[in-house]
Amino acid sequence: HRPSTARSSLISGLAALEEGEKKSFRDSVKSSGDETQASANISSLMGNKRVRECLTSYWCMTFASTAAGEVFPLFAMARKPGGLGVEETAIGVIGAGSGLLFCVCQYFIFASSMKRLGLHKTMVYSGF
């Protein structure tokens, strides 16, 4: 790209903003040489349906994972009523073993779903 072309496209983009036209995230990407810089803000990201879907599924996964990680040790330690009555060291071994198992399984499941579904559908389906 010649500098004058990039400068003129930037000036025309700024003029469009001054005229009150709304720009989407894709329209606000500016190229300068080999680098591409995106000027994004929260409203432009949340205006994109695919971004909203990925963030929502990520929030659901994170909430469920955090809740399970916090509740399981309490349930395992409880002796009455309905708890497991497990000692602290055993809870640590269970947590370490399940973490290793989840890492290995997630690698293979994520890799195969990426090949079949692509990134967007994988992220959306993995949240539910």
Side-chain angles (χ1 to χ4, degrees):
H1 294 284
R2 294 186 319 222
S4 61
T5 306
R7 193 175 314 132
S8 65
S9 65
L10 177 61
I11 291 171
S12 65
L14 291 174
L17 281 176
E18 289 174 0
E19 293 173 6
E21 294 180 25
K22 292 185 177 179
K23 295 181 75 178
S24 68
F25 174 71
R26 184 176 290 149
D27 294 336
S28 66
V29 174
K30 297 173 274 188
S31 294
S32 63
D34 293 335
E35 296 180 25
T36 301
Q37 298 175 351
S39 60
N41 55 29
I42 297 297
S43 63
S44 69
L45 290 174
M46 294 309 281
N48 187 332
K49 182 181 177 187
R50 297 184 96 188
V51 171
R52 276 195 320 269
E53 288 174 347
C54 285
L55 286 175
T56 302
S57 65
Y58 179 73
W59 291 332
C60 291
M61 286 187 304
T62 303
F63 176 78
S65 175
T66 303
E70 294 295 324
V71 170
F72 175 74
L74 298 174
F75 169 70
M77 286 174 52
R79 300 206 186 278
K80 305 183 222 177
L84 298 177
V86 179
E87 295 296 321
E88 289 86 357
T89 55
I91 294 171
V93 170
I94 292 169
S98 65
L100 180 63
L101 179 67
F102 286 144
C103 285
V104 171
C105 290
Q106 281 180 353
Y107 174 76
F108 292 111
I109 291 170
F110 187 73
S112 66
S113 85
M114 280 290 293
K115 287 179 187 173
R116 279 190 261 144
L117 303 173
L119 176 62
H120 181 254
K121 286 184 180 177
T122 297
M123 290 301 294
V124 169
Y125 292 146
S126 65
F128 299 104

